[in-house]
Structures are given as C-alpha cells and as structure tokens.
Amino acid sequence: MTTTAKPALSLGPVYFLWDGPKWRDFYFRIADEAPVEHVTLGETVCSKRQHFSEPHVAEVVERLEAAGKRVTLSTLAMVTLERESRHVRDLIRDSVHPVEANDLSAIGLLKGRPHSIGPLVNVYNAATARVLAARGAENICLPPELPASSILRILEDMPGFSFEIFAFGRMPLAISARCAHARSKGLTKDNCQFICGEEPDGLPLRTLDRQSFLVLNGVQTLSNSCAMLGDDLAPLVEAGLSRIRLSPQDCDMVRVAEVFRAMLDGEMAGEEAIAHLQQVYPGIPFSNGFLHAREGAAWVARGRAASLGHA
C-alpha cells in the first residue's frame, strides 16, 4: 500500500552529556522554532548523567507540549544496576507520556500499554515488528543499519503501522557495561568525573594510521560519519513510512529540521539540502551506506540511488 501523506519529523533523545542549562535551552528552542511533531527525550546512554537533565525535564515537557509537540520519554539502553532497574520501572509506572523502549527489559514492563520502540532494539523484519505491535507498540524506529530492501519489505508487510527511520545524526552502533570514554582519559567508570561532558559531540577515534574511525560517547559507540538520508527518502515515503527521525548533534538542529522539512515538502532538492547541512554541521562526513546495503560509512551519490531497495 502506498500513501501520499507527508511523514512527520521527529527528534530523538540527546545521546551526549550536555550540562543542564544547555540541555534545557536546546529543547526550549526546539519547542519554539523547530518544525518537528514528535520529541523523544530522557537519558538513554548512562544513568549517571540523569541528574544533569532531571531538574529541567518538567519545564522542558511543558514548553514542548505548549508548542504542540508530542512528547515521548526514553528508557535506558542498558540496565545493569538495581537503581537503573528501579528507575525504568518507576518511569513506566508513573509516566503520563508514552515511553520509548530501548532495552528488552523495558519491553517486558510495557506489555499491554501503548509505547514506542527505539532504534537500539533490533527490529530487522516484519515478524518481529508484529510481535512487538501485538504487545502494545504503536511506533517502531527501525535500526539505522537496515538496508532499504528490508525496510520496504517491512512496510509492505505491515501497511498502516507507524514506522520511523533514523535519517540524520551519528549512528548508534554499540553500548557497553564499561566506559571506554573514561578509560581513554585514564579514569574508571565509577570515578569518571563526567569526563564525557568535555566532548559534547563525542570523542573521535582514529586508527593507527590516523584515519577517522568511530566516536566514543561514554559507554556508547557511535559512527564517525553522520547519517544523512535525503534523496533516499522518496521511495520509503511512497511505501508508507510515517516518521523521519533526527538525532541531536552539537549543531543547529533547528536548521537541520527546517532543511528536512523543506525536502519532505518538495521545496528543496537533496543536493541543495546537503549543501545547507554541510554548513550547519561542518567537517563531518555524511553517509547513507547502510540504506544501500553497503558499509555504513559509505556515501552513495544521487546518481546511484536509482537502485535503492534492490541492492
């Protein structure tokens, strides 16, 4: 089934450690200026960071909802401690907002309640998506490593269900119980001194021959390149894709949202959008390789995009 409806723009949670005022002001500006319909917020990567944002959550939610945004609260991607387990249980029990599960333990707690599934949960086919939908999931953000052929098959097999794809931002690749970010600074996870806050867009890693490789973000590993799906979106939208997710980076995300909205509305071509985004997020390579069944860091230019979904 195809649809002519324009997909909604959504904003994923901030993966990085930003201090409380910066985190609050970021969302205030999103509320006031960004053309996004859905906002997912909350600490996803490391529970130790929660005290930076928690004092501001209520006012951020109020500001977003006053601006007409729909708010979803994110769970942790890895639960290893009792206090983390208790936090997830309390969030799911007490939240008046939908919750996005980024860990299988949260999915168990959410059974029978309307909720979302985040991109850190491996939903690789329609069979998995149907199981999650039967348990109460109303929206699934598919993992960024899925090729277009798999996404199109899932959309075909579950027409009318709300699927979302990760269209902009450093891609989440892995998460660990240990903190390589702290280790790189000679610290331990238990005494990290929140050193990851020194890199508000992640700590770049390089190979021995000085080639850019990955980015560390506390216990999380991200891609060095920034996913940027522009001209690639058209066949997915035609197939019924419901939402396009932007992942916050330390750049002007309001402008990023404006560019994507212009693309989706047919007011800006992909090449022009890329030029704008390169100015907004300078010095960071863009990639769309996963979507074209290539290595994730690859960039497949528009001239080769005709094979999208058939790789």
Side-chain angles (χ1 to χ4, degrees):
M1 184 182 74
T2 60
T3 179
T4 56
K6 295 175 182 176
L9 269 186
S10 75
L11 187 73
V14 173
Y15 287 147
F16 307 98
L17 175 56
W18 295 349
D19 64 49
K22 176 175 178 173
W23 187 88
R24 176 201 61 205
D25 293 346
F26 169 79
Y27 282 110
F28 278 5
R29 186 164 179 243
I30 291 296
D32 296 345
E33 302 178 37
V36 299
E37 291 92 333
H38 301 265
V39 177
T40 300
L41 56 87
E43 183 52 51
T44 305
V45 175
C46 178
S47 63
K48 293 179 67 176
R49 301 174 175 179
Q50 286 170 330
H51 79 270
F52 288 92
S53 59
E54 279 186 345
H56 307 287
V57 169
E59 58 182 337
V60 163
V61 170
E62 182 179 5
R63 183 79 160 256
L64 289 167
E65 291 186 327
K69 319 295 188 189
R70 296 184 62 183
V71 174
T72 300
L73 301 180
S74 174
T75 69
L76 289 165
M78 177 177 284
V79 176
T80 61
L81 302 172
E82 173 54 32
R83 64 173 173 80
E84 295 172 341
S85 177
R86 185 167 57 251
H87 170 79
V88 173
R89 291 196 301 267
D90 290 348
L91 173 67
I92 292 172
R93 184 192 66 224
D94 300 334
S95 177
V96 298
H97 297 88
V99 172
E100 177 174 280
N102 282 291
D103 175 77
L104 291 181
S105 64
I107 291 175
L109 293 169
L110 286 162
K111 183 180 179 180
R113 296 181 52 176
H115 61 276
S116 295
I117 303 295
L120 305 184
V121 176
N122 294 336
V123 181
Y124 291 151
N125 51 59
T128 301
R130 279 194 290 269
V131 169
L132 295 173
R135 295 172 62 91
E138 296 184 331
N139 179 75
I140 297 174
C141 184
L142 297 169
E145 62 266 30
L146 271 184
S149 56
S150 296
I151 297 173
L152 290 168
R153 180 64 180 270
I154 292 170
L155 294 173
E156 178 185 348
D157 288 351
M158 292 185 65
F161 188 81
S162 178
F163 285 103
E164 183 173 355
I165 62 167
F166 191 102
F168 180 88
R170 295 189 192 272
M171 295 169 283
L173 302 177
I175 197 154
S176 171
R178 299 183 178 182
C179 185
H181 201 146
R183 182 69 177 269
S184 73
K185 304 292 183 76
L187 300 170
T188 65
K189 181 180 178 181
D190 290 340
N191 185 33
C192 67
Q193 300 176 34
F194 301 104
I195 201 73
C196 55
E198 293 183 355
E199 283 88 24
D201 208 45
L203 175 65
L205 296 182
R206 292 178 175 82
T207 61
L208 291 176
D209 57 358
R210 308 304 294 170
Q211 296 296 311
S212 296
F213 182 44
L214 298 168
V215 166
L216 291 180
N217 171 41
V219 297
Q220 185 183 48
T221 303
L222 300 166
S223 63
N224 174 68
S225 64
C226 173
M228 209 308 267
L229 310 185
D231 290 320
D232 312 290
L233 293 173
L236 304 178
V237 171
E238 291 172 5
L241 187 68
S242 298
R243 299 185 194 175
I244 308 298
R245 176 172 292 208
L246 312 176
S247 185
Q249 304 297 144
D250 194 27
C251 66
D252 187 351
M253 289 302 299
V254 169
R255 183 58 183 150
V256 172
E258 291 172 343
V259 169
F260 268 85
R261 187 71 267 168
M263 275 197 296
L264 294 172
D265 291 347
E267 298 172 357
M268 184 181 293
E271 293 179 0
E272 182 183 358
I274 291 169
H276 279 285
L277 293 173
Q278 286 173 333
Q279 294 178 347
V280 173
Y281 199 27
I284 308 299
F286 289 159
S287 62
N288 59 3
F290 280 139
L291 202 68
H292 293 271
R294 294 272 306 279
E295 62 275 19
W299 176 253
V300 179
R302 182 176 184 179
R304 298 183 58 192
S307 64
L308 188 66
H310 305 286

